[in-house]
Structures are given as C-alpha cells and as structure tokens.
Amino acid sequence: MTGSASPQTADIETTIRERFAPVALVVEANFTPDELREAQRSLGALMRDMPAGAHIALITRHPALIITALVGHATIRTSDDDFWDGFFTAIGVNADQSFSAAVSAFAGDMLREAGLRDVASLRADDLLPLLDLHAGLTPRTVDALVDVIERHVSAGRAPSGTAILDHLTEPGFGHRHTVLPAGFRVLLEQAPDIAATFLARICATLVASVASPGEWNADRLTPATVDLPPTILAAVSERLERTAFLSGDTDAAALCSARFPELRYDAAEGSLTVIVPSDAAATTWRVWAGDAPEQVAVGADEAAVIPVTAALRECVLVSLDNGARRSVPVVLPGDPVVLFAPDGRVMSRHRTLPAGHVVALVPNDAELLGADRAAVPIVETRTGPWDGWLLRTIDLEGHRELTVHRDGRAGQTRRVRPAESPSIELPEPLAGITTRDGDPVFGERPLVDLPAHLGDDVKEWRVRVRRAGEIDWLVDYPWAAEDYVTSADPFDGVEGPLLGRYEIVVSDSYGLDLRRVADIAEGLDVVHEPAVRLPVDKGLTESTTEFTVDEGLSVVDETVEFAPDVTELITTVSAGSDQLELVVRPPHALVRIERSGVPAAWQTSLAELDVTAADHHRLAVYVPGAVDVSFALLDGNLEIVREWDADGRSGAEFSLATRGVADAAKRLVSGTLVALIDDESGETDEAPVATVVRGGDRTVVPSVVVEDPLINEWMSLDAAHAEETSAPADEPLLDPAEAPVDELLTADPTASLLALADSPVSPDRVPAMFIRSGLAELPFAPSGRTAASHPNPYIGCMLAMSEIADPSAPDRDEVQSYLVTRGGDEILRLLASGRMSDPRTGVFDRNVLAVDAMTRDQVDMLFQHFRIVPGPVLDLDMRTSATIDAFHRRVDWMADPVSLEAPRHVNTMLRDVRRSSPEMYDLIAARNEALDGVDTGGNPWMLLSMQSMCFAAVARLQAHGRLKQGGLTDEGRAMWARLADYFPGMVSTDVLMANAVAVRAAALARG
C-alpha cells in the first residue's frame, strides 16, 4: 500500500482494492505491519474530519480501508483487552459504540464490496472470529502453532506440515485436533489450502533454522524466501529470536537434518514400496509392511526399498538400535484410496488435486465420483499391489471434487484445482538409478505446464527454483499465460547441465502452492542389459549398465558390470564442481520362502525347498514388469513334472503354496522349481526360483539375527510345533502333556505378548502360539511402550484394554481412540456393558450353511467385499471375513481327531462360564441361537463359533480371576491351540471379545 494516510488522498481506497482484487482473505494481500498501521492512521484521520455520526457514508465510501484497519488490529494487537477499545486507541479516535455497531451490522456488505470473502456464521455473535480468519494467523496463534510443531517433532515424528496434519486430523482421534490453536482450526476449516501452506512453510522454516542455522537465520528470512505473509513471518522471526526452535532438545534437533521413510509407487514395476533413506550409521529396523513384521538391515549410507504387500493403515518401522519409531500412513479404512503424483509420491489428503490425470489405488468395488455423484472418467486400469485393489488412472478435468464411495459410504471429499492451474511435469526417471536416499534421478529438466488463459487481462504465474535446502532462489520469474497451454522451463537462464537436488515452486497465491523436489543429472542416460535380471543357480544373471552423458557431464564408470552375487554398485556423476552419488541397481527378481521359526526375507539366491520338511507354507517371487507368472516343477532331466498357476498376486509379486510342490516332488531325487514369466511385450522367460532337495539343511541362518530372547523363544516354539500343525489329519492328537505352559514366555506376560507381536511368526500362527505358551490364560498390565499404537491390532487392543480399565493410566483419550479405530465400536460397547449390538452376526449361522454346496471360488467371490479393506478387527466385515476363512477349513477340522473330543470338553466349560459370567455366557448362547433350524448333528462344524467363544471365555475369565470354577487344563489348551491352527482369525476375534468382558468384570470387582 502506498500514498498518504490523509483524507485528501482520494485514491487510498482504490489502492487497497487493487491489492484485494486477486485474493479472498486480507492476509493474502501481503500487508506489512507498517502498512496495516498506516491504514489505521488513515482511517482515524478520515473519522476525525467527518461529521459526527456519518458512519454509513464512511462505510459506503471506504469499505476496503475499514476492513484493512480492522483486520490490521486483529493481526498486530498484543493484548487480550477489549477489541474495540484497543481498535479506537490504535486509530487515534475516541471510542464510538455506534460506529462499532454499524461496522458489525454491515461487515458482510463491506467485505463483498471490497471483493473479499464473507463467512456469515463467523460473525453471527461477534465480528472478531471473522476478522481473525482474514488475519490468517495472529502472533499468538503463530506462537501456539510453533509449540504444537515442537511437541510433534520432540515425539519423534516427521518434521513436516503434512505429517503434522496427518497425525492431528487422523479420523477417530478427534481429541488430537484440539491441540491446534483455535485461530488455525478456523483457517483450516474455511481455507484449508491456505492453512496447509502456512503450516508447511512455518514448519519448513523452523526445521531449516536448525538444520542450516547459518543460512536460515532470522536476519535472512524474508517473505520471498519463506513464502509467508509479512505479518506471519514477523511472528515466526520474533519467536526464533526469543527462543531457538527445539532449544536444548538435541535428539529432536537431529530429526531436522534426517530424512524420514516415504511411501512411493513405482509405475514401471507396478509396486508400492516404503523408501528408508540412508543414514551415516548402519541400522536394523523392525518393519510392518505386510502380514508379519520383518527385520531389515540397512547399511551405512545406504537406502532400503521395502515392498508394501498388504493393505495397511500404516507402515511402522522401529529401530532396533535406538528404539526410534517411524510411521508412514498408507490407507484409511473409511477412505480407501491412495493418490499418487507423477513421480510416485503420495498426494496429501490436505491438498487440492490437479485438474488432470491422477493415479488412484482403490478397491475394485469402489466408485470414484465427482460433485453431484458424477462418475470420474477412468483412463487406464492396472492390477494393484494388493488382492482386490486396482490402480486406476483417472481424469479430473472438469470436476471440482473427488470422493471415493464404497458400500454406500463416502470417504473424504478432496478438492480439485480449477482447470486453469499449472502443473510441474517430471520426465521419466532413469531406470535402476537412485540417490543414496533412494530418490529417483531424472536425466532431463522438469517443465512447468501453464494453462491457457482466455480472459482479456494478463495472468501471471510465479515460477521459482533453488537448490534444495538453500534460502536463495536461482530463478524467480513471472511467466505470463497465453491463450493456449504453454510449457515453461523453470530453469530458464540457468546454464546446464543441471546436477543436484532442486526445489521447484509454481504459485499465484498461498492457496496454490505447487512444489516438487527433484534430483537431476541433466544429460545422463542409462541402459541395462538385460532389462530385468532373473535368478540363476548362483544369484542373478550377469548384467551390464551403460551410461551415456552429454557435454559438460561426466560419470566415473561409464560401464558397470554386475556379477551374479552383486545387486547394486555406487558411481558418481559430475558437472564442474557439482557431484552426485548414484546407486546403480538394475531391476531384478527376488525370491522369498516362508518357514516356521525363520524370519522371511527377500533374497537373490535360490530358495531351498525340502520335500521332507513339515513346515511348508509359501514361496513368492517378485519380478519387475511381469504381467503374469506361473510355476513348473522340473526333474533332474529338466522334464516337467507338474505346473501351477500362481495362487496369489500382489502387483509384481506372485506366490505359491509349497505343500503341493513338496507332494509332487516326493519321488524325485532332485529337482528345480522354475517361474514362467510373461512380460508386457508378450514374451515368456523361464527362471529357476528354488531347488528341490531331500533332507536339506534345517539350520538356515536368517539374513538378520534376532537378539531378543523372548522373540527367539517364540520362534523356537513356532518351529517346534510346525510338524504338529501340518501333520496329516489322520494322525492321533499329541499327548496333552506335550502342551505345558512355557515358563519363559509366561514369566512376564506383557513383555512376552509384545515380543510375540514383534516376532516374525506368521499372523496365521500367532493365535496358536499365544494359546500353546499359556499366555492366553494370563492378565496383561499397562505397558510403558506405547501399547496403544502397536501395528498388530489384536495384540495392541489386548494391551490397550488393560490401560483403559486403569483410571490412573495416562493418555486415556489416545487409548480409547486406538481401541475404536483398531478394534471397533463393539470393543467399547463390550467394555462398557459386557454386551454387543448383535452377537449373532459375523458367526456361523443359517446363511453360512446356505453356501455349503458352493465351490471355494464361488464363496470367495461372494464374500470378497469383506476382505479387501481391513477395518477395525471387531467390525462386522472383519468378523465375517474370519468366519469365511473358518468355513473354508471346516472339512480339514472335521477330519482331525480333535474335533471329536472338543464338544465334550466345551460342554464341561460351558457350565463354568455360566456360573462365572452371565454376560460371557450370553455371548456364547447367542451363537447357539444363530443356529436355530440348522442340523448341527449332520453339520457338526457349524458349532465352531460357539466352541471358539467358549474356549476364549474360560481363558480370559481365568486370566482376570473371574472364573469361579474350572479352568483350562493341558488337554484343553492343546485342543484350543489346535482349533487356532485351523481358524486363527476366528480365534483371535473371540479372544478380544472375551477379554473385553473379562476386563470389565475385573474392573467392577475392584470397584
């Protein structure tokens, strides 16, 4: 704002309106504190020279000036005294209640006349909330927001605005939202894009002040370098001058220089992975990125790529070296979609989407709808990385919003940018080449596509580039839009070749804040021969990587040779004084075999499949770019013995149960299991994936050594019972004396339960291990190790129930939210009343009997909806899914001699339950009611739901001291464990239900 504040300055109103023309909120006009004070002086001068009571004339002639003065006071005032008293003092006139009343009455008209946004609900009772919205963030709000950011980083979470919003607005955790200052919450609700931008820029500035204090000090911070309005920047700078960010917290300060794991989609390989960035020291992580946790060793200055093999709410990584916890959000059950930018990074649910092509990972039965439920066009569909999920390329042009609808329920509505919006277009990344941190490398400059502008006015976009982490811009240039789409070089004027990590920004307001960080080696190209390395006897096929470079660029190794046992090598590319280390990792296949007692891990060597072993489970191969994979067993003469189609697929991962292979190979002296790989060009390759042996080495050394004695004990117990769990059905039941309580695993029940949750034991075998050890009959105490955030929802809920029942336990809101989001509403209902909304649902009933004559494929197709999106474990969908899994194994169970003994044992236990807990007995009785009209004599397996609940009831009542008579014997424990071998999902669910009732009963008994 320019010009005198005197009444004779006739153009002051016009000048301010010109500032308001392209914006909706006053804060977007970028007034400095001095300019706001000048507006207040100008308004005061006008009021002193106007006749008394001429308020309407003043409001009519100078609405923009009045609004600016009012918002200016809301922005820069420092006390909590009465707003109007302070306002009149600021403009230098006596308090005038009639003026205050007139301004409040006509505020909406003034805003509209000035071209600004009005929110009537915010001024219904008091004008101040609306003024605070237009102020953006007041100094006190900024101060409170910095406190929120500090607490977030000190808790070990990623120091970014997106991570903060993801955590504080996670559905189901509404109590977290209240830690945000009220002014920011209003801005987030009314102008979410602007709020997200302000938070991101404040957080980035604070982090940079710690990571590079010499460059990002308060003296060098300007609105241009940090992209914040002057008033907000002044508040941030004042806070930093008063107290350094994370002052004294060295552990949290270290996070400001660290990279955090990221979710990434690789379009070329069709895979979804978590990238674990490099670190100066070697680190071992326990990672939940699929069905079971695995341990991943990451060398010093190396990155790790971990496939996400199941639809998870989040991937969790825990450092076994220092206990650091990293959480990467993946998919929310109530909003089942993951959206990806062109470079494979996840698009935040807090940002507007581009009005063009977007890749969406969604369930195959989900609808993608725009406003008024209009279908969004699907350009391309590919198989997703998880069963039942698809990767759909959608076109959002012409749509204002996007919502995923599934099962009659709508997810979060995401806003779509106007069609007249720019985009940052990244070239194809160099295949098989990344930085040390696992980021893709581009051999060409990205471009900025500017939309066509059809108006008569001049539309300009601000395009900027700087080296990532630096404060000064290399390029800061306005590009005028044409009446057609144009491609702009964001590096215009910067001589090539470009080499390094760059930040590219395109904007025209705080609401549109497009940013990309890209690693560029301009003029570099690469060719791998072969394109994909496949398994051979001693590792992978030998390969060669050839680099070509343009003038000005050089690479240390223009040709890189890979021996069979080498998967990646390091080279360096240079341009003048700039250097960039490259990790050369040609695309290659991986093999993984699952065995009891041994952590499953991807390997490049051939798996060993022993036909005499009893612990057969599953073999998987991962082949980048594969369209389909089948398997064939070859004998010693390389003749085909038998062929199989893959019985599981997840993106480029194909799997096969190994029991059938072992049975087919029993008469072979030796053999080879090969994969027949179909690629996108229609060609088929053949590669060995496992050698078939007889009496192989059972002392396989895992790739990562587990040092926790409790975890090792769990793995030993798992391996010891592998033969029992896979024994032929006609073998007699093991002597009950062989199922004693494991004293090591029951000495500290809570620590042991956590170790089981952290162990690489397959989730399907965890319930049986839980029972066999004797742990199922013991109580659990509140755990100091964030029990209410464990990635395993069954075990996490067991521990969280112990905490929620303790009135003195801290973070009860957090524990309750965990129980609801991971366990479901039913778990709280059981804890509160001992009853379910309808205990006859999700169990064996007449509807299940109706599908008895169907084939497995028909049943799976009928119920596949329940399996695709994993929700809270006691939700109806999840309970139904567990019941269908049990249905598929009913015949196996009835062939086991234990099935004949279980009913007698259950009848005895039912009497004990009835004496001890009416609520628990009612749950069991309800399952019997669900069988009305069912011939259980002809179909005895229909009693399984009732039997499972009875075992769980006795064990958990016994654990909490509420069983008046009886209890689990060694024989009962062995029977229940055998039941869990067949029906792990059903048993796990029933244990949680029974535990909730028992926890409630114990709490009531304690008073």
Side-chain angles (χ1 to χ4, degrees):
M1 189 174 66
T2 59
S4 169
S6 68
Q8 288 74 28
T9 307
D11 64 346
I12 188 169
E13 177 73 13
T14 302
T15 301
I16 296 177
R17 289 198 189 201
E18 289 175 352
R19 293 277 288 267
F20 286 160
V23 304
L25 300 178
V26 172
V27 66
E28 297 179 87
N30 284 329
F31 289 112
T32 66
D34 286 343
E35 288 175 325
L36 293 175
R37 294 186 184 96
E38 183 182 347
Q40 292 174 337
R41 289 193 294 270
S42 298
L43 177 60
L46 284 171
M47 291 184 67
R48 287 190 295 272
D49 287 353
M50 293 190 70
H55 304 135
I56 300 302
L58 185 63
I59 290 172
T60 303
R61 296 175 187 174
H62 299 281
L65 175 62
I66 295 172
I67 290 294
T68 303
L70 288 167
V71 172
H73 184 58
T75 301
I76 59 181
R77 72 189 185 118
T78 57
S79 70
D80 290 323
D81 295 339
D82 181 77
F83 173 85
W84 288 106
D85 286 346
F87 172 73
F88 287 119
T89 299
I91 65 175
V93 300
N94 294 327
D96 187 340
Q97 291 184 357
S98 60
F99 177 78
S100 306
V103 166
S104 298
F106 292 98
D109 300 291
M110 295 166 62
L111 287 166
R112 288 187 290 274
E113 180 64 24
L116 297 171
R117 183 179 175 190
D118 176 35
V119 182
S121 60
L122 290 181
R123 55 178 172 81
D125 300 317
D126 183 2
L127 185 59
L128 187 55
L130 182 57
L131 298 178
D132 282 342
L133 171 67
H134 277 275
L137 301 175
T138 66
R140 283 170 295 178
T141 299
V142 170
D143 214 39
L145 202 56
V146 173
D147 290 339
V148 170
I149 298 170
E150 278 195 315
R151 289 193 296 269
H152 176 89
V153 180
S154 294
R157 303 186 187 98
S160 73
T162 298
I164 293 169
L165 285 179
D166 281 340
H167 179 71
L168 296 183
T169 65
E170 181 178 351
F173 291 80
H175 63 280
R176 293 178 184 169
H177 196 246
T178 60
V179 306
L180 289 167
F184 182 81
R185 293 203 302 270
V186 171
L187 187 65
L188 186 62
E189 178 182 349
Q190 299 295 334
D193 285 314
I194 293 175
T197 295
F198 287 169
L199 177 61
R201 301 283 70 78
I202 291 172
C203 188
T205 302
L206 296 173
V207 169
S209 74
V210 175
S212 303
E215 186 161 5
W216 288 78
N217 59 62
D219 293 338
R220 298 199 63 195
L221 303 181
T222 67
T225 56
V226 300
D227 289 337
L228 282 171
T231 53
I232 296 177
L233 176 58
V236 173
S237 298
E238 183 181 343
R239 170 62 184 258
L240 287 175
E241 290 172 354
R242 188 169 69 249
T243 308
F245 183 59
L246 299 173
S247 177
D249 192 340
T250 55
D251 290 339
L255 300 181
C256 294
S257 302
R259 293 282 300 279
F260 274 64
E262 294 181 2
L263 192 66
R264 185 120 7 113
Y265 165 61
D266 189 323
E269 299 186 1
S271 62
L272 187 64
T273 59
V274 168
I275 307 297
V276 183
S278 64
D279 191 79
T283 308
T284 301
W285 296 91
R286 180 173 292 126
V287 181
W288 284 263
D291 290 334
E294 59 180 303
Q295 289 184 199
V296 179
V298 183
D301 296 321
E302 295 180 4
V305 180
I306 304 171
V308 181
T309 57
L312 304 170
R313 189 182 186 105
E314 60 183 352
C315 289
V316 176
L317 302 90
V318 176
S319 170
L320 300 186
D321 302 301
N322 56 25
R325 190 179 193 272
R326 304 286 182 259
S327 178
V328 182
V330 183
V331 62
L332 295 171
D335 187 33
V337 60
V338 190
L339 300 171
F340 300 100
D343 61 350
R345 286 182 171 84
V346 175
M347 289 183 168
S348 169
R349 60 188 173 92
H350 307 289
R351 292 291 196 178
T352 53
L353 301 173
H357 288 186
V358 170
V359 175
L361 175 60
V362 289
N364 58 20
D365 57 357
E367 295 180 283
L368 294 158
L369 304 178
D372 301 323
R373 297 184 65 88
V376 172
I378 297 172
V379 177
E380 182 185 12
T381 298
R382 300 178 63 181
T383 302
W386 312 317
D387 289 341
W389 289 70
L390 298 173
L391 283 158
R392 296 192 186 275
T393 301
I394 57 177
D395 187 357
L396 295 176
E397 185 175 356
H399 290 271
R400 301 190 308 274
E401 60 187 41
L402 171 69
T403 309
V404 174
H405 289 253
R406 184 173 187 267
D407 196 25
R409 290 172 288 188
Q412 174 183 326
T413 296
R414 289 165 166 82
R415 304 171 306 282
V416 178
R417 294 197 292 267
E420 194 172 315
S421 297
S423 61
I424 300 173
E425 301 297 325
L426 299 172
E428 287 293 323
L430 297 172
I433 306 296
T434 66
T435 66
R436 285 277 198 177
D437 287 322
D439 294 316
V441 178
F442 302 96
E444 302 174 21
R445 297 185 178 198
L447 296 176
V448 173
D449 278 359
L450 302 176
H453 179 64
L454 303 180
D456 294 331
D457 58 318
V458 176
K459 174 63 179 178
E460 288 188 341
W461 299 98
R462 188 180 180 191
V463 180
R464 289 170 290 170
V465 171
R466 63 184 169 193
R467 288 189 178 272
E470 294 186 0
I471 195 169
D472 293 321
W473 297 102
L474 295 174
V475 177
D476 186 347
Y477 190 74
W479 284 81
E482 305 288 350
D483 57 1
Y484 53 86
V485 176
T486 55
S487 288
D489 175 9
F491 295 89
D492 190 30
V494 178
E495 294 185 5
L498 302 172
L499 182 64
R501 187 172 177 83
Y502 297 89
E503 179 184 8
I504 306 167
V505 180
V506 185
S507 62
D508 70 339
S509 67
Y510 294 111
L512 180 63
D513 185 57
L514 303 182
R515 293 172 185 261
R516 289 285 184 275
V517 174
D519 291 274
I520 304 172
E522 187 180 17
L524 183 69
D525 201 1
V526 63
V527 175
H528 305 288
E529 180 59 41
V532 177
R533 302 176 69 192
L534 298 178
V536 293
D537 289 341
K538 297 181 180 180
L540 297 169
T541 50
E542 296 182 354
S543 74
T544 301
T545 296
E546 294 279 354
F547 286 102
T548 57
V549 294
D550 288 349
E551 184 178 354
L553 203 66
S554 64
V555 63
V556 171
D557 304 293
E558 293 190 357
T559 301
V560 182
E561 304 281 351
F562 288 88
D565 61 342
V566 178
T567 58
E568 65 180 46
L569 292 168
I570 307 294
T571 191
T572 302
V573 60
S574 303
S577 61
D578 295 326
Q579 290 189 334
L580 180 64
E581 282 192 316
L582 304 178
V583 178
V584 187
R585 198 170 188 263
H588 60 270
L590 296 169
V591 181
R592 181 169 69 183
I593 191 165
E594 182 186 336
R595 280 181 43 195
S596 300
V598 178
W602 290 107
Q603 60 191 55
T604 54
S605 57
L606 300 187
E608 186 178 272
L609 201 159
D610 182 5
V611 298
T612 65
D615 60 342
H616 287 287
H617 293 290
R618 187 162 297 277
L619 178 140
V621 296
Y622 169 80
V623 187
V627 174
D628 194 17
V629 170
S630 58
F631 299 89
L633 175 63
L634 308 182
D635 60 19
N637 297 320
L638 302 182
E639 297 291 335
I640 295 177
V641 177
R642 187 174 169 187
E643 296 182 80
W644 297 268
D645 291 329
D647 56 21
R649 177 176 182 177
S650 178
E653 177 187 335
F654 301 82
S655 59
L656 179 70
T658 55
R659 165 59 64 188
V661 180
D663 290 342
K666 280 184 176 178
R667 292 182 176 83
L668 298 181
V669 176
S670 64
T672 304
L673 184 69
V674 299
L676 306 174
I677 304 161
D678 296 334
D679 62 22
E680 294 178 344
S681 65
E683 297 183 358
T684 300
D685 283 317
E686 179 181 308
V689 291
T691 56
V692 177
V693 300
R694 186 174 297 277
D697 182 8
R698 306 301 298 156
T699 60
V700 177
V701 178
S703 58
V704 177
V705 177
V706 180
E707 297 182 353
D708 188 315
L710 285 174
I711 291 180
N712 279 323
E713 182 69 7
W714 281 117
M715 292 168 63
S716 297
L717 181 64
D718 185 27
H721 285 276
E723 186 171 353
E724 176 193 348
T725 59
S726 56
D730 56 356
E731 287 189 5
L733 175 67
L734 292 180
D735 184 348
E738 295 186 31
V741 169
D742 187 309
E743 293 183 1
L744 177 61
L745 293 177
T746 54
D748 184 341
T750 302
S752 184
L753 186 62
L754 281 168
L756 176 59
D758 293 344
S759 76
V761 174
S762 169
D764 286 344
R765 301 196 299 277
V766 163
M769 296 296 99
F770 177 68
I771 295 166
R772 278 194 176 91
S773 65
L775 206 59
E777 303 150 55
L778 296 174
F780 305 105
S783 167
R785 197 199 105 183
T786 58
S789 61
H790 200 281
N792 184 315
Y794 291 100
I795 291 176
C797 285
M798 288 288 287
L799 295 170
M801 280 189 269
S802 300
E803 297 203 18
I804 201 70
D806 181 1
S808 64
D811 300 325
R812 290 174 60 81
D813 287 340
E814 192 75 11
V815 175
Q816 179 169 315
S817 294
Y818 177 89
L819 283 170
V820 171
T821 56
R822 271 62 168 183
D825 291 333
E826 292 289 2
I827 209 166
L828 286 188
R829 189 173 286 110
L830 285 165
L831 285 167
S833 67
R835 304 186 184 280
M836 296 179 64
S837 55
D838 188 349
R840 297 165 298 179
T841 57
V843 300
F844 281 151
D845 58 12
R846 282 170 293 182
N847 295 324
V848 174
L849 188 62
V851 299
D852 186 33
M854 293 184 182
T855 66
R856 178 167 186 147
D857 288 344
Q858 288 173 321
V859 174
D860 282 342
M861 185 172 295
L862 187 64
F863 291 99
Q864 70 167 342
H865 165 83
F866 297 105
R867 305 174 181 274
I868 297 175
V869 181
V873 292
L874 291 193
D875 273 8
L876 179 58
D877 282 8
M878 298 294 285
R879 288 186 283 122
T880 301
S881 179
T883 298
I884 295 306
D885 285 337
F887 171 81
H888 284 321
R889 297 212 63 187
R890 67 198 187 283
V891 175
D892 296 336
W893 167 250
M894 295 311 301
D896 193 309
V898 182
S899 68
L900 303 178
E901 297 293 327
R904 172 187 58 80
H905 204 84
V906 167
N907 287 336
T908 301
M909 293 191 300
L910 272 173
R911 293 193 296 270
D912 299 333
V913 175
R914 189 169 191 172
R915 294 188 189 101
S916 304
S917 173
E919 294 87 358
M920 199 82 83
Y921 184 80
D922 286 347
L923 287 179
I924 301 171
R927 297 186 175 197
N928 192 46
E929 292 175 13
L931 299 176
D932 285 349
V934 173
D935 179 13
T936 56
N939 301 280
W941 55 270
M942 289 290 290
L943 295 169
L944 277 167
S945 288
M946 189 179 69
Q947 293 168 353
S948 172
M949 192 67 212
C950 188
F951 276 112
V954 169
R956 296 319 294 162
L957 287 172
Q958 179 179 333
H960 290 279
R962 306 312 302 159
L963 193 65
K964 294 180 179 179
Q965 185 175 330
L968 273 185
T969 62
D970 283 352
E971 181 187 13
R973 187 180 307 111
M975 286 183 179
W976 190 22
R978 192 67 167 167
L979 189 77
D981 286 330
Y982 287 100
F983 315 115
M986 181 174 68
V987 168
S988 296
T989 300
D990 291 344
V991 167
L992 277 188
M993 293 181 186
N995 189 67
V997 177
V999 164
R1000 177 180 181 273
L1004 290 175
R1006 290 192 301 268

